Amino acid sequence: ASDEDDGFFPFFPEINDSEGHPSSSHQTLKGTSKWATSLENLLEDPEGVKRFREFLKKEFSEENVLFWLACEEFKKTQGKKQMQEKAKEIYMTFLSSKASSQVNVEGQSRLNETILETPHPLMFQKLQDQIFNLMKYDSYSRFLKSDVFLNHKKSEEQEENSPEAQTAAKRASRIYNT
């Protein structure tokens, strides 16, 4: 693997054993441990997104993750009419000078509504990348030190150490060790 390998392979679904459990040869990280490995992993997990939004709300920058999510959704949009509608929604919500949840991106002043007439799936990609980097190098590292993250991590660890979780783990290890 190269140095740039950040473990992000959307094309390879998890390899599961016959019972649908992740195969034991590849230990799967869950929850906060997975979120802490990369912003990509955090944004792939609905619970992670929820906690990150909670944190960004406190920092008054929730619009960044909302814009990023809207762009991800936009890329999946089919049909010119739907694309035009969604593109306009993204523009009006996040990019126009009168936007209710304006994101701060370079080149914004050059953006205008004419781009909305000929939408294409990657039309917001540059801006989305800027916002991703802003989150990655700014709010993401603060999120990992925040109470929102640390409290969630703590409650996860308590669940893992509960008697019920341990008996389930013992049962699982007996199954694999027979």
Side-chain angles (χ1 to χ4, degrees), residues 83-167:
M83 282 181 95
Q84 280 176 323
E85 285 168 15
K86 262 210 167 119
K88 189 176 166 87
E89 200 179 303
I90 288 174
Y91 179 79
M92 297 315 265
T93 309
F94 302 105
L95 300 168
S96 109
S97 55
K98 300 184 279 290
S100 54
S101 303
Q102 193 178 26
V103 290
N104 187 7
V105 285
E106 276 174 53
Q108 203 156 4
S109 56
R110 293 190 297 276
L111 272 181
N112 60 43
E113 292 188 47
T114 56
I115 63 160
L116 304 177
E117 287 155 27
T118 53
H120 58 88
L122 300 177
M123 65 189 280
F124 297 117
Q125 188 64 55
K126 263 198 176 115
L127 303 177
Q128 187 186 10
D129 290 344
Q130 276 186 47
I131 289 298
F132 180 84
N133 286 329
L134 180 72
M135 292 191 298
K136 183 173 185 166
Y137 298 109
D138 185 37
S139 39
Y140 173 64
S141 49
R142 282 198 307 280
F143 169 69
L144 296 178
K145 296 177 191 125
S146 73
D147 289 347
V148 172
F149 177 80
L150 296 172
N151 291 340
H152 190 71
K153 186 178 178 174
K154 200 180 289 172
S155 67
E156 255 181 14
E157 285 163 0
Q158 283 166 349
E159 276 173 35
E160 279 170 23
N161 295 329
S162 73
E164 301 87 56
Q166 285 178 348
T167 52

Side-chain angles (χ1 to χ4, degrees), residues 25-96:
S25 62
H26 184 291
Q27 199 55 50
T28 318
L29 291 171
K30 283 198 181 75
T32 51
S33 346
K34 191 173 180 185
W35 306 348
T37 55
S38 73
L39 179 55
E40 288 87 343
N41 283 341
L42 172 69
L43 294 171
E44 277 178 12
D45 182 346
E47 182 65 24
V49 168
K50 191 174 134 189
R51 301 293 171 174
F52 193 43
R53 280 182 62 180
E54 205 176 298
F55 168 73
L56 291 177
K57 212 176 265 179
K58 290 178 179 169
E59 290 214 330
F60 305 102
S61 60
E62 188 190 15
E63 68 281 354
N64 290 337
V65 75
L66 294 177
F67 173 69
W68 189 88
L69 292 165
C71 292
E72 282 300 283
E73 203 48 49
F74 177 74
K75 290 178 202 171
K76 300 174 197 155
T77 307
Q78 302 290 314
K80 190 175 177 187
K81 187 147 179 53
Q82 281 95 320
M83 282 181 95
Q84 280 176 323
E85 285 168 15
K86 262 210 167 119
K88 189 176 166 87
E89 200 179 303
I90 288 174
Y91 179 79
M92 297 315 265
T93 309
F94 302 105
L95 300 168
S96 109

Side-chain angles (χ1 to χ4, degrees), residues 8-17 22-23 26 28 34 44:
F8 183 62
F9 296 110
F11 309 110
F12 302 112
E14 195 69 60
I15 298 162
N16 290 327
D17 65 20
S23 65
H26 184 291
T28 318
K34 191 173 180 185
E44 277 178 12

